[in-house]
Amino acid sequence: MLTFMRKKILFGAFAFVLLLIIVIAVLVIRAPKPPTSELKMALEALSNAQKANAEIYANEAYKQARMAYDSAMDDWAKQNERLYVFRDYSEVNSWVEVVIEKADEAQKLSGKRSKSTSNRIKEGIAKLDKKVVIFELYYKRMPLPQSILKAHNKGVLKLSETRHAFENKRFSVAEKHFGEAWELINSSNDKAEILVQNWFSAHSEWQKQAKQAVQLSANNKKVLLVDKFAHTCTVYQNKKAIKTFEVEFGKNWMGDKLLKGDKATPEGIYKITNKKSGAQTKFYKALLINYPNDEDRAKFEKAKSKKLIPSNADIGGLIEFHGMGGKGVDWTDGCIALTNNDMDALYKIINTGATVIIVGSVQPLEAIIKDSVLK
Amino acid sequence: MKKNLMTLFAAFSVAVLLSSCGKVPQAEIDAANAAIEAAQTAGANVYVAADFAALQDSMNVVNQKVEEQNGKLFKNYKDVNAMLTVVTQMATEVQSKTEAKKEEVKQEIATLETEVSGLIASNNELIANAPKGKEGAAALEAIKGDNSVVETTMVEVTTLTASGELMAALDKAKAAKEKAQGLNDELSEVIAKYSKNKKK
C-alpha cells in the first residue's frame, strides 16, 4: 500500500515537472520575438547616414534618428527584463520605424546639401580666384593703405587653405575657411574699388583731355598723352597714335600731385620746357615739363587755405620724362620713367614746346574691370 | 523509481544551469568601450574617420547581439565574447593607425616648416640684396609686408601643431608655402628686371 502511494506521488511529481517544462516551452515558443532583423536594418540605415556625413549636413534629422535608435535599444533592454509572456516589442518597432525614416531622410538631405556645399565652395573658389587676379593685376600696383593690402594677403592665404581642405574632401573645414577668405578678399577688393572709383570720378574730364590731345596733334604737331592707369605714354601726330611707350611713376601715382614729396605724378595739360642729356641729368636723358602750372598753383593755395596741407608745404617741381625706367615698379618721386631705349626714341621725336597731357585713365573703370575678368 | 526521480532532478538542474550560466560579459564590453574611447581621444574620428566609423558599427552590432542573448531563456554569450575580442583588437589597431597618421601629418608639417623657413630666409636675403635707394624701397615695401604675413602664418602653424590641430596646421603650412614661393618668384623677377635695365 505504501509502495503504491510512493509510486503515485512520484508519478505526480514527474507529471508536474513535465507539465512545467511543456508550459515553459510553449511560453517561450509563443512569446513575442524581438525585431532583431529590423534593428539590424535600423543600424545599417544609421551607419549609411553617418557615412554620408549626415552629422554635418543633416544634423537635426541624424540626431533624431540616433535618439530613436537609443530609445529602441533601451526599450528592448526593458522588455528583456520582463517575463516572456509580458514582453511587448511594439514600442521597439515604432522606434525602429522612426530610425529608418529619419536616417534615410538625413542621408538624402546630407547628400544633397554636401553636393550643394561642394559646388558652392568650388564656384566660390573660382570667383575669389578671379577677384585675386583683379587685385593682383590692378589694385596691388596702386598706392593702397597697408590695411587693405594686409587683408588681401590674409584672404589669399585663407583661400589657399580652403583649396587644400576642399581637395582633401574636408568640406566643413573648407566651408569655414571659405567664409573667412570671402570676407577678407571681398572687403579688400571693395575698399580698393571705392578708392579707385573716387579717383575715377574725374574720368569725364580725362576723356575730354584725351580727345583734346588728339585734336592738338593736327597739323603735324606731336602731343604726348600719358595714361596713368595703363602706365603708357602715347605720341600723337596728325590725330594718330604713332608710338606708345610703357612708363613708370611715383609710388603714389593714383591721384593728382599736390605738393613736394607726395610721390604723385601731376594730372593736367603741360608743355615740354627743356631737353636734358649727359651731365644735365642723372637719369640718362630727360624732358622737363612746366609743373607747377597756374592751375597747379591755384590748387595748391586752395589746399593750403583749407589746411589740407601744412602751411610750410612746398609745391615742388622738376617733373620730367626720364630714362632708367623699366623696373616693373613705380619708383620715381613723381616723374615719368621710361627704359633708356624708349627714352632715346622719345627724346628724338619730341621737341621743346610739345604739349603733354597727363590723365588718370583713358578707359572707363568698368571697361578695365570687365577686361580683367574676361582675361 | 528512485532512478527516475534522479533523472528528473538532473534534467531540471541542467535546465536551471543553462538558463542561469550565461552571464553578460560586462568586463569585456567595458574594455571594448574603453578601447574605442581611447581611439577617439587619440583623434581617430578625424585622422582615420572611415576606420573609426567601421569600429563604431561593429560595437553597435555587438550591443544588439548582447541584447538578443539577454532576451533568451538559454543565454549564450560565446559569440558576443568572440566579437568583443575582435572589436577591442580593432580599436587598438585603429588607435595605432591614428597615431601613425598623426605622425605622418606632423612630419609633413615639419617638412613644410623647414621649406617655408628656407623661403622666408631666401626672401629676406633677396630683399636685403635688392636695389637700394628710392626705387628699391618702393618696389620692396609691399613684398616685405607680404613676407611678414607668411611669417605670422608660420607662427600660427606652430601654435596649431602644439595644440594638436594638425590638419588645420597642415592646411595653413601648405598655404604659407605657396605664398612664400610666389613672393620668392616675384622678388627674383623684380631684381632680375632691375639688373637688366640698369645695365642698359
Side-chain angles (χ1 to χ4, degrees), chain A residues 10 47 84 87 153 160 326, chain B residues 1 57 71 73 146 171 178 197:
Chain A
L10 273 172
S47 174
Y84 292 96
R87 286 180 189 174
N153 285 331
S160 190
Chain B
M1 193 67 223
D57 280 351
L73 178 65
D146 287 1
D171 285 344
E178 273 177 18
N197 285 303

Side-chain angles (χ1 to χ4, degrees), chain A residues 271-285:
Chain A
K271 293 271 180 205
I272 297 290
T273 54
N274 195 10
K275 288 179 82 173
K276 300 176 185 176
S277 61
Q280 290 174 298
T281 175
K282 57 177 181 173
F283 294 110
Y284 184 61
K285 281 178 182 171

Side-chain angles (χ1 to χ4, degrees), chain A residues 137 141 230-231 245-249 323-331 337-342, chain B residues 126 129-131 135-136 139-140 143 184-200:
Chain A
L137 265 174
R141 284 194 75 182
H231 280 67
F245 305 101
E246 280 185 18
V247 294
E248 288 154 5
F249 305 107
M324 294 180 78
K327 299 183 203 307
V329 289
D330 293 302
W331 56 275
L338 293 84
T339 63
N340 290 352
N341 284 343
D342 286 346
Chain B
L126 285 169
N129 295 329
E135 58 270 64
L140 301 168
I143 298 174
N184 199 273
D185 296 344
E186 201 179 334
L187 271 165
S188 304
E189 198 184 321
V190 166
I191 291 168
K193 206 166 184 181
Y194 177 82
S195 310
K196 192 180 142 196
N197 285 303
K198 204 178 176 186
K199 280 174 197 162
K200 284 179 186 173

Side-chain angles (χ1 to χ4, degrees), chain A residues 79-115:
Chain A
Q79 296 306 322
N80 281 344
E81 283 167 13
R82 302 171 85 172
L83 274 177
Y84 292 96
V85 269
F86 300 119
R87 286 180 189 174
D88 176 7
Y89 295 105
S90 58
E91 209 166 321
V92 177
N93 274 317
S94 303
W95 284 122
V96 164
E97 275 175 30
V98 176
V99 177
I100 294 171
E101 187 197 325
K102 286 289 164 190
D104 281 351
E105 183 190 320
Q107 189 187 352
K108 280 177 193 154
L109 207 60
S110 180
K112 268 186 206 165
R113 286 183 183 165
S114 68
K115 201 176 171 187

Side-chain angles (χ1 to χ4, degrees), chain A residues 259-356:
Chain A
L259 71 161
K260 187 181 178 180
D262 63 6
K263 298 197 185 288
T265 303
E267 290 166 12
I269 301 169
Y270 302 93
K271 293 271 180 205
I272 297 290
T273 54
N274 195 10
K275 288 179 82 173
K276 300 176 185 176
S277 61
Q280 290 174 298
T281 175
K282 57 177 181 173
F283 294 110
Y284 184 61
K285 281 178 182 171
L287 297 168
L288 184 71
I289 66 169
N290 62 330
Y291 173 85
N293 58 21
D294 292 344
E295 206 177 310
D296 295 323
R297 281 197 190 88
K299 218 165 19 187
F300 176 75
E301 290 307 328
K302 197 176 170 186
K304 227 177 192 180
S305 67
K306 282 187 174 177
K307 296 190 175 163
L308 294 172
I309 54 173
S311 55
N312 61 349
D314 188 330
I315 194 167
L318 271 177
I319 298 294
E320 51 191 31
F321 289 84
H322 61 59
M324 294 180 78
K327 299 183 203 307
V329 289
D330 293 302
W331 56 275
T332 72
D333 279 339
C335 291
I336 300 152
L338 293 84
T339 63
N340 290 352
N341 284 343
D342 286 346
M343 195 59 213
D344 277 336
L346 186 69
Y347 195 86
K348 207 180 278 179
I349 56 176
I350 297 295
N351 292 319
T352 307
T355 302
V356 175

Side-chain angles (χ1 to χ4, degrees), chain A residues 110-372:
Chain A
S110 180
K112 268 186 206 165
R113 286 183 183 165
S114 68
K115 201 176 171 187
S116 88
T117 304
S118 163
N119 286 341
R120 202 173 61 242
I121 298 172
K122 201 175 168 184
E123 283 166 16
I125 289 174
K127 273 183 196 167
L128 287 185
D129 273 338
K130 275 183 189 169
K131 292 200 172 206
V132 169
V133 169
I134 290 171
F135 196 96
E136 304 278 329
L137 265 174
Y138 294 105
Y139 301 144
K140 206 177 176 182
R141 284 194 75 182
M142 292 175 189
L144 298 171
Q146 276 300 313
S147 58
I148 295 179
L149 293 170
K150 210 170 174 179
H152 170 77
N153 285 331
K154 276 187 179 173
V156 170
L157 278 164
K158 274 285 160 203
L159 181 60
S160 190
E161 283 180 58
T162 308
R163 199 174 284 115
H164 291 302
F166 183 77
E167 280 164 4
N168 288 312
K169 298 193 189 315
R170 290 182 294 118
F171 297 129
S172 58
V173 178
E175 199 173 16
K176 188 176 165 276
H177 288 322
F178 176 72
E180 291 175 53
W182 182 266
E183 179 61 34
L184 285 163
I185 292 173
N186 276 319
S187 77
S188 53
N189 273 48
D190 289 349
K191 282 175 188 168
E193 198 180 323
I194 288 167
L195 285 173
V196 178
Q197 269 173 349
N198 285 341
W199 181 47
F200 265 79
S201 59
H203 186 255
S204 56
E205 185 60 26
W206 297 339
Q207 268 188 324
K208 275 183 210 160
Q209 290 176 344
K211 277 180 191 162
Q212 200 180 342
V214 179
Q215 295 302 323
L216 289 171
S217 71
N219 304 320
N220 225 21
K221 282 180 190 161
K222 290 191 184 83
V223 176
L224 289 172
L225 175 65
V226 177
D227 185 329
K228 285 166 84 174
F229 202 95
H231 280 67
T232 57
C233 163
T234 303
V235 183
Y236 281 92
Q237 190 175 28
N238 292 324
K239 298 184 179 184
K240 278 182 185 162
I242 59 165
K243 192 93 184 160
T244 298
F245 305 101
E246 280 185 18
V247 294
E248 288 154 5
F249 305 107
K251 73 169 187 173
N252 293 327
W253 57 268
M254 196 176 81
D256 201 359
K257 187 168 185 65
L258 201 58
L259 71 161
K260 187 181 178 180
D262 63 6
K263 298 197 185 288
T265 303
E267 290 166 12
I269 301 169
Y270 302 93
K271 293 271 180 205
I272 297 290
T273 54
N274 195 10
K275 288 179 82 173
K276 300 176 185 176
S277 61
Q280 290 174 298
T281 175
K282 57 177 181 173
F283 294 110
Y284 184 61
K285 281 178 182 171
L287 297 168
L288 184 71
I289 66 169
N290 62 330
Y291 173 85
N293 58 21
D294 292 344
E295 206 177 310
D296 295 323
R297 281 197 190 88
K299 218 165 19 187
F300 176 75
E301 290 307 328
K302 197 176 170 186
K304 227 177 192 180
S305 67
K306 282 187 174 177
K307 296 190 175 163
L308 294 172
I309 54 173
S311 55
N312 61 349
D314 188 330
I315 194 167
L318 271 177
I319 298 294
E320 51 191 31
F321 289 84
H322 61 59
M324 294 180 78
K327 299 183 203 307
V329 289
D330 293 302
W331 56 275
T332 72
D333 279 339
C335 291
I336 300 152
L338 293 84
T339 63
N340 290 352
N341 284 343
D342 286 346
M343 195 59 213
D344 277 336
L346 186 69
Y347 195 86
K348 207 180 278 179
I349 56 176
I350 297 295
N351 292 319
T352 307
T355 302
V356 175
I357 295 183
I358 307 171
V359 297
S361 173
V362 175
Q363 259 199 307
L365 185 61
E366 298 73 36
I368 293 165
I369 302 290
K370 201 177 166 189
D371 277 359
S372 65

